[in-house]
Amino acid sequence: MKRTNFVSALVLSFAVSLVGAAGLAHAGAATDVVKAKQSALFDLLKKPSNDAKVSAMFDELLDYQALAEASLGSEWAARTDAEKAQFSDLLKQLVRKSYERNLKKTLDFNIEYTAEEKKGDAIVVKTRAVSKKDARSEPVEIAYVMAEKNGAWRVKDIITDDVSLVSSYRSQFTKIVKKDGFPALIKKMKDKLAKGDV
């Protein structure tokens, strides 16, 4: 997995958790939500023409607002409401398109739910993805940082092999903003969508 392609990293790390599940003996509410959504997603993927339903369910699980704010870091506060809305929408599109593109590539994994830990106001659901095709392949450690929002558990960060999606985004995005300005970041995001380079 290329660590420089952070959107694809998000999609891979989320999508590999769709197939198979070895449950924790005493899973908590956050783990239960992840498992339930993943089970429903997998059922949808078995049927044709369910793209809209898959995307909608994916949207239910990911907290795009938290992802957008954290990804811009200190730059978020400097943006106008219109800029925040534009950035958030583009980020959501990139994530969804990349998810749809990579989803089928990541179905050959078995997932083990290894732990659920409290971290501040969040719950970290830890999983381990193991390839079903290549027994010699190193397992991928994936952790979902979950937080309650409006009474529902949502994913606000994904950590793959100790690499945080949000931190990776922030490093990339803020570098572009500081060097070339916010409009340059928006243009790069639009270009990626237009080219399908997600």
Side-chain angles (χ1 to χ4, degrees):
M1 183 190 308
K2 291 183 179 180
R3 297 303 183 188
T4 55
N5 191 338
F6 302 125
V7 175
S8 290
L10 163 65
V11 175
L12 175 62
S13 59
F14 179 77
V16 293
S17 61
L18 294 176
V19 183
L24 288 168
H26 301 287
T31 299
D32 289 342
V33 167
V34 175
K35 284 185 179 180
K37 293 294 185 184
Q38 289 170 170
S39 177
L41 276 166
F42 187 52
D43 287 341
L44 287 172
L45 290 169
K46 295 177 182 177
K47 306 168 187 175
S49 305
N50 270 329
D51 291 349
K53 291 181 180 179
V54 169
S55 293
M57 189 162 293
F58 188 60
D59 292 349
E60 289 177 8
L61 187 57
L62 274 176
D63 188 343
Y64 292 108
Q65 183 66 24
L67 183 60
E69 291 185 26
S71 295
L72 275 185
S74 60
E75 296 293 334
W76 178 263
R79 308 273 65 88
T80 66
D81 288 344
E83 288 174 332
K84 290 176 181 176
Q86 183 180 33
F87 172 79
S88 297
D89 181 62
L90 289 171
L91 183 64
K92 181 177 180 178
Q93 290 183 61
L94 283 169
V95 168
R96 289 173 69 175
K97 285 185 179 296
S98 186
Y99 162 71
E100 292 167 5
R101 177 180 174 181
N102 289 282
L103 189 60
K104 291 183 179 180
K105 298 178 183 178
T106 59
L107 296 180
D108 293 320
F109 289 80
N110 283 319
I111 300 302
E112 302 170 357
Y113 287 78
T114 59
E116 181 179 298
E117 301 176 355
K118 185 172 178 58
K119 186 176 181 180
D121 62 350
I123 296 293
V124 180
V125 177
K126 296 185 176 182
T127 71
R128 185 171 179 264
V130 182
S131 174
K132 292 190 288 186
K133 289 186 174 181
D134 186 359
R136 294 175 297 179
S137 178
E138 285 292 322
V140 182
E141 303 291 337
I142 305 164
Y144 300 91
V145 182
M146 310 283 290
E148 279 193 289
K149 184 174 183 178
N150 299 324
W153 286 100
R154 307 287 293 275
V155 176
K156 68 175 188 177
D157 193 12
I158 299 174
I159 302 170
T160 307
D161 286 338
D162 296 323
V163 178
S164 163
L165 173 77
V166 166
S167 295
S168 297
Y169 270 142
R170 188 184 304 121
S171 176
Q172 182 184 35
F173 292 164
T174 56
K175 182 177 180 180
I176 294 172
V177 173
K178 290 181 183 302
K179 180 181 178 182
D180 301 314
F182 185 75
L185 173 59
I186 294 299
K187 183 178 186 303
K188 286 181 181 293
M189 295 173 78
K190 286 182 176 179
D191 288 346
K192 287 178 73 69
L193 283 168
K195 296 175 182 177
D197 180 22
V198 294

